[in-house]
Each structure stands twice: as structure tokens, then as C-alpha cells.
Amino acid sequence: MNDDRHSIFRDAGRDRETAEQIPDTPQTRAPSYRLAFADESFLCRDELRPVRLQLELLKPQMILDERQIDSTVVLFGGARIPSPAEKHKARTQTLADLSHFYDEARLFARRMTEKSVASGNREFVVATGGGPGVMEAGNLGAEEAGGVSIGLNIVLPHEQAPNTYVTPDLCFNFHYFAIRKMHFLMRARAICVFPGGFGTLDELFEALTLIQTGRMNRVPFLLFGRAFWEKIIDWAALEDAGTISPEDLDLFRFVESAEDAAAIIEEWGPAPARDDIPGR
């Protein structure tokens, strides 16, 4: 830490360094003696969950603010979708057939990052989950365009490393899914969803619900691959059942290519949040 602060008190970093240099005695080795904010065992206690939630919200927020990143383009999509060069290793023929979306994600991210670079890497910054598949393609496309990109990873039992194309100092790791989702959407200028599995569906419907209920401004909400999405979700059945309104089907658009998606984002005008929910 530095002393460029609006405070006349000694800063926490200096005190932590000082505390590490004290004599080694039974008293100083006792867990109770550790500074609370430097005590990892203490911070991991169940009672500290509210503090950990706050820290996970604050750390990425502060770093993104320091980098002056004002808006993002979010790419959701399957971790299992291979690149076309690797599609022969796919578990199923369907996954192999979906490999072209890897290239579309890559091209789309490249196109968005060209806009981002023109803004000084402040607007339209590509943000992904930081893993393989579609996420890797998004970060790769951003790197190819000479810009930066964000990776929002999460700790999983089968620990996955971030893909190598995420900008290192914009690569984050989360414990809480809920806080990670907030960071996906807080700066979102557009949400693009590629074919995927449970995680992608979770992200899709969470974001769509926030827009549907007026909790979030409308942004371009683009589903890549109409055939895939209409096969796994019977949107018309939801409307026929009355569980969603016809107007809810206008909250998203199907696209097939990076060019289609980029054109919609270019033409998008202001769209405030809903002030009511049609059909209720």
C-alpha cells in the first residue's frame, strides 16, 4: 500500500509488514494474535460470509474502475464446444457440428474489440467466463484485435485454469456464483449467448429475467444459432401456456453470425428498463 490516502492514520499494509517482523514467541504464534484482515483462517469462517461477499463484489469493481472500463460485451457459451481444428475430438457429433460457433465467437469478439480499442479500451470490452470453449474463443478474438478482455473464472471442484488469452490483470476468480453473475451484467452493453449447457442456460435465464422484470435496462440480447435454441427450448409453448407474454419474446433476437450480431449492436438505440410486466 502507499500513503497517497485521505487519512493521517498509519496504513494497514505497513502494519501487516511490521506484524510479520515481530519476535517469534508462543504469544505471537497464537491465532488470536494475528491481525484479523491478515488471518486467512478467520476470514474463511462461516460467520464471515457477508464480508467475503462484499470483498468479491469490491475487488473486481475497484480494478475495473481503475482501468476506466465503462462497458462490456458479454459472451456466454459452452465450455465443451471445440474449435473447428479440434472438432474431431468432440464427445458427440452434435458438439462437433457446433464447432463453427467457436469461430463466430472469435470473429465477433475481434469485431467488438476493434470498437473497444478505438475507445481506449474503455467501451465494448469483451467479458467471458474465462474458461475453454466459447469463452476461450472470445478472449482469443479480443487478443487478436490488439485489445484487452475480461475473464470471470470461478473455483470448481475440477479446478480449471483461465484460458491463456484473458488479459492477465483483468482475470478474476470467484467463490460465489451470485457475485460473479453481478459482475457479468453490471457493465453489459450487450449479451451474446452461444450454444451451451446448464451453466449457459442459467446465465441466459438469469439475465433475461432481470430484463423481463425491469430490474435491468434492455440491451441487445442475442442468441447465436436459432436451430439450437429452438430445439432445446420451446419458446412458443411458454407463450401458449401464458407463463410468458408475447412481448417477452421480443426481448431477445436470434443471430447466426458475428456480422449479424455486430450490426444489431451498431444500430441499437436507448432502451430503458420496463416499468411494468406485460401480461401480469
Side-chain angles (χ1 to χ4, degrees):
M1 296 181 65
N2 60 54
D3 282 325
D4 185 19
R5 302 170 299 133
H6 300 292
S7 172
I8 61 173
F9 295 114
R10 182 180 168 92
D11 73 64
R14 289 177 64 195
D15 268 6
R16 178 172 181 168
E17 291 173 2
T18 300
E20 292 172 350
Q21 298 168 10
I22 56 176
D24 182 20
T25 69
Q27 290 75 24
T28 62
R29 287 196 298 270
S32 60
Y33 189 77
R34 297 174 194 148
L35 288 168
F37 60 83
D39 187 342
E40 292 184 3
S41 296
F42 174 68
L43 290 174
C44 288
R45 289 178 57 158
D46 284 349
E47 298 91 336
L48 271 291
R49 180 174 291 117
V51 175
R52 294 194 300 273
L53 285 161
Q54 185 178 22
L55 290 173
E56 284 212 341
L57 182 62
L58 273 172
K59 182 179 178 181
Q61 177 76 17
M62 292 170 66
I63 291 172
L64 293 173
D65 284 347
E66 288 165 1
R67 290 290 296 264
Q68 299 183 304
I69 293 176
D70 296 325
S71 70
T72 58
V73 176
V74 179
L75 272 66
F76 294 134
R80 305 184 189 196
I81 293 179
S83 68
E86 299 288 321
K87 69 178 182 179
H88 62 284
K89 299 179 182 178
R91 291 176 54 248
T92 67
Q93 184 58 48
T94 299
L95 270 179
D97 293 342
L98 291 172
S99 66
H100 71 280
F101 284 113
Y102 183 103
D103 274 350
E104 292 302 331
R106 180 177 175 178
L107 291 170
F108 174 72
R110 189 187 303 167
R111 176 83 174 262
M112 289 297 100
T113 304
E114 289 169 356
K115 288 173 62 67
S116 178
V117 168
S119 74
N121 290 312
R122 297 183 63 169
E123 305 283 354
F124 297 98
V125 178
V126 167
T128 81
V134 165
M135 297 173 278
E136 174 187 283
N139 297 119
L140 172 57
E143 182 181 89
E144 290 174 333
V148 302
S149 68
I150 298 166
L152 304 178
N153 286 77
I154 192 157
V155 179
L156 300 174
H158 51 284
E159 180 62 39
Q160 66 174 21
N163 71 67
T164 59
Y165 305 110
V166 180
T167 300
D169 59 355
L170 294 176
C171 189
F172 303 97
N173 201 17
F174 291 85
H175 173 66
Y176 296 105
F177 269 97
I179 302 299
R180 178 177 180 252
K181 288 177 182 176
M182 285 189 66
H183 281 295
F184 270 125
L185 301 179
M186 286 167 65
R187 289 172 165 80
R189 179 73 68 86
I191 298 169
C192 302
V193 191
F194 292 79
F198 286 167
T200 302
L201 290 168
D202 176 51
E203 292 156 347
L204 184 161
F205 283 114
E206 178 116 22
L208 203 53
T209 299
L210 287 170
I211 294 173
Q212 179 204 40
T213 56
R215 298 286 299 181
M216 176 179 167
N217 285 351
R218 286 196 63 179
V219 297
F221 202 112
L222 309 176
L223 305 187
F224 277 74
R226 177 189 287 266
F228 175 85
W229 292 112
E230 290 188 337
K231 181 178 181 181
I232 66 168
I233 302 169
D234 194 336
W235 306 94
L238 292 171
E239 179 188 354
D240 291 342
T243 55
I244 65 171
S245 67
E247 293 90 340
D248 290 333
L249 296 177
D250 295 330
L251 297 178
F252 60 88
R253 298 269 298 274
F254 295 110
V255 295
E256 301 301 326
S257 69
E259 291 300 317
D260 294 342
I264 291 171
I265 292 170
E266 291 284 352
E267 296 166 6
W268 188 264
R274 282 178 167 182
D275 56 11
D276 66 353
I277 303 177
R280 281 198 191 173

